């Protein structure tokens, strides 16, 4: 396994680059915008293809690298269902799994620091975001934070993991890099309380000033989405209403770019072909399945995904591959459902 803990000294943020092998797919957790060059260099040096980038929550102390990495590497961006970020490619909720080649992360909803805080468990280690820090816990006094929810997340979820589980947080300001669940249970001063009320009391009396970057970082991190308007101007975009009206038309080939787990959770569209986003380059090559189908039938490919981000990137990839008229459904199946479009349950 390739496992790199990367540090941004300005914000005290840890980011994690994971891959199962050199030459394979990689995933990054909590990337920082200013470090994008460094991540890309490391990806090249280790011969990795970044396919997913996760933020554990909407950060208030640094600008996320999610949008920048998506633009540079065409990776899938991931946040939790509750996140206020405008567009991420994929949203997850408790019990989901985030997978890349040779690796899977179990998604744990651990609200409290913010209402969109998630932890990600991978075998012997857990990425706790700002929910559980080393000898500390994330503040709960803004961004819909709740010390009651955080107590539940920590005591009833994270501390129930095996004691030897390694804890990798999103921040440290003292130079610690890793801890364990057992160690935090015993020595984290915030966790030496006897009740939820005692914890709420402790958190209410921290008297912290707001993070320096908060007024910049929070609004910026809410607008990480890929700008889909350009495709609209080029006539390569169907809004949900237009897409619903064109359902079943014989000259259109609907292509669902989402993963199987998303299809079974949220349903799909009638007649849609399934081609998960990571496989589309392959499918669009000469001899590739999508290209051959489009050529053989003369149908126009219309990509869709969850929110329109993967499909917008697929339209660009199709264009690069010489299929200039491929289009996508703006806003994805989310917009389709909101417009009252029919969905087949998987
Ligand atoms: Fe945070």
């Amino acid at each position: 396994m390739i496992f790199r803990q990367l540090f941004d000294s300005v914000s005290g943020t840890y980011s994690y680059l994971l891959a199962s092998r050199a030459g394979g797919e990689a995933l990054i957790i909590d990337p920082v915008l200013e470090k994008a060059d460094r991540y890309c260099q490391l990806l090249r040096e280790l011969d990795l293809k970044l396919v997913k980038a996760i933020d554990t929550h909407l950060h208030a102390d640094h600008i996320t690298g999610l949008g920048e990495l998506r633009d540079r590497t065409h990776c899938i961006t991931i946040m939790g269902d509750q996140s206020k970020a405008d567009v991420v490619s994929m949203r997850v909720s408790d019990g989901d799994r985030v997978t890349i080649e040779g690796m899977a992360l179990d998604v744990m909803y651990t609200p409290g620091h913010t209402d969109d805080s998630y932890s990600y468990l991978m075998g012997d280690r857990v990425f706790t975001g700002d929910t559980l820090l080393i000898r500390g816990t994330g503040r709960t006094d803004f961004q819909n934070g709740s010390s009651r929810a955080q107590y539940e997340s920590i005591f009833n979820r994270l501390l129930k993991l095996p004691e030897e589980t390694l804890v990798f947080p999103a921040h440290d300001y003292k130079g610690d890099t890793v801890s364990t669940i057992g160690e935090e249970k015993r020595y984290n001063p915030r966790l030496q309380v006897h009740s939820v009320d005692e914890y709420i009391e402790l958190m209410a009396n921290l008297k912290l000033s707001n993070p320096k970057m908060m007024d910049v970082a929070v609004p910026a991190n809410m607008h990480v989405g890929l700008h889909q308007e350009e495709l609209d101007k080029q006539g390569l975009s169907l809004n949900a209403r237009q897409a619903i009206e064109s359902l079943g038309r014989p000259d259109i080939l609907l292509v669902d770019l989402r993963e199987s787990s998303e299809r079974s959770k949220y349903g799909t569209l009638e007649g849609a072909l399934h081609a998960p986003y990571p496989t589309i380059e392959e499918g669009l090559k000469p001899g590739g399945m999508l290209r051959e189908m489009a050529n053989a039938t003369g149908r126009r490919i219309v990509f869709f995904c969850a929110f329109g981000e993967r499909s917008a990137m697929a339209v660009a990839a199709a264009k690069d591959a010489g299929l200039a008229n491929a289009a996508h459904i703006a806003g994805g199946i989310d917009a389709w459902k909101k417009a009252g479009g029919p969905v087949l349950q998987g």
Side-chain angles (χ1 to χ4, degrees):
M1 177 174 66
I2 294 171
F3 176 87
R4 293 297 162 90
Q5 184 176 35
L6 299 152
F7 187 56
D8 172 49
S9 57
V10 178
S11 60
T13 303
Y14 286 128
S15 309
Y16 300 92
L17 181 70
L18 310 172
S20 64
R21 64 175 180 97
E25 291 184 351
L27 169 154
I28 195 163
I29 300 175
D30 288 330
V32 174
L33 175 64
E34 288 79 5
K35 296 284 169 185
D37 282 342
R38 171 71 186 125
Y39 306 143
C40 290
Q41 182 193 10
L42 189 57
L43 287 163
R44 277 193 305 275
E45 288 166 353
L46 301 178
D47 188 24
L48 296 172
K49 178 174 168 49
L50 186 68
V51 294
K52 289 184 177 165
I54 303 176
D55 262 0
T56 52
H57 63 288
L58 195 103
H59 296 285
D61 61 335
H62 67 269
I63 298 179
T64 176
L66 244 54
E68 182 68 20
L69 287 174
R70 177 212 46 231
D71 291 346
R72 292 197 197 189
T73 70
H74 305 142
C75 68
I76 294 174
T77 52
I78 301 177
M79 290 187 79
D81 261 341
Q82 296 78 0
S83 174
K84 308 239 178 355
D86 57 350
V87 183
V88 282
S89 311
M90 187 188 284
R91 288 180 183 262
V92 292
S93 55
D94 192 68
D96 284 350
R97 296 194 108 190
V98 173
T99 58
I100 62 166
E101 176 202 1
M103 277 186 166
L105 273 64
D106 292 308
V107 179
M108 298 172 75
Y109 181 41
T110 52
H113 168 58
T114 63
D115 62 353
D116 70 344
S117 288
Y118 278 76
S119 298
Y120 291 85
L121 177 67
M122 190 182 72
D124 65 348
R125 60 200 66 199
V126 62
F127 303 96
T128 53
D130 288 356
T131 302
L132 177 60
L133 304 175
I134 300 173
R135 308 299 191 265
T137 57
R139 61 192 299 170
T140 55
D141 56 337
F142 56 72
Q143 289 184 285
N144 297 324
S146 155
S147 41
R148 181 177 297 276
Q150 193 175 51
Y151 179 93
E152 292 297 326
S153 296
I154 294 175
F155 282 85
N156 293 331
R157 301 293 305 276
L158 294 172
L159 296 191
K160 296 273 162 72
L161 295 171
E163 294 226 335
E164 61 279 10
T165 309
L166 298 167
V167 173
F168 287 101
H171 290 290
D172 194 86
Y173 309 99
K174 312 172 298 292
D176 288 318
T177 54
V178 60
S179 181
T180 66
I181 289 293
E183 217 178 296
E184 291 310 308
K185 232 183 230 177
R186 280 184 286 283
Y187 304 116
N188 188 322
R190 298 239 179 115
L191 306 186
Q192 309 311 309
V193 292
H194 300 99
S195 68
V196 61
D197 291 327
E198 204 183 315
Y199 186 72
I200 292 169
E201 167 94 21
L202 187 156
M203 293 304 284
N205 289 309
L206 293 177
K207 299 193 174 65
L208 301 165
S209 53
N210 280 346
K212 288 191 285 280
M213 284 280 288
M214 185 168 166
D215 294 337
V216 180
V218 171
N221 288 340
M222 279 161 68
H223 295 100
V224 293
L226 181 76
H227 299 295
Q228 298 174 27
E229 307 86 35
E230 201 44 46
L231 290 180
D232 193 26
K233 283 189 208 138
Q234 296 168 22
L236 299 177
S237 177
L238 277 70
N239 64 34
R241 185 101 325 269
Q242 294 165 327
I244 292 166
E245 280 159 14
S246 66
L247 186 68
R249 259 176 44 189
D251 56 335
I252 277 179
L253 178 63
L254 278 174
V255 177
D256 187 350
L257 298 170
R258 297 168 305 154
E259 300 187 355
S260 298
S261 57
E262 296 174 278
R263 285 158 56 88
S264 50
K265 198 166 157 190
Y266 301 107
T268 188
L269 307 186
E270 194 175 347
L273 198 76
H274 185 208
Y277 174 73
T279 69
I280 56 148
E281 258 175 47
E282 201 58 42
L284 290 166
K285 275 190 200 156
M289 189 262 290
L290 282 176
R291 191 189 190 90
E292 292 304 307
M293 275 198 76
N295 285 342
T297 61
R299 292 156 84 187
R300 182 188 202 190
I301 294 178
V302 176
F303 294 112
F304 70 93
C305 59
F307 304 99
E309 190 157 308
R310 276 169 278 181
S311 56
M313 294 192 287
V315 169
K319 213 172 183 181
D320 289 346
L323 291 170
N325 79 333
H328 86 134
I329 301 178
I333 201 164
D334 178 61
W336 169 282
K337 279 189 183 177
K338 283 177 183 154
V343 166
L344 287 181
Q345 270 319 317

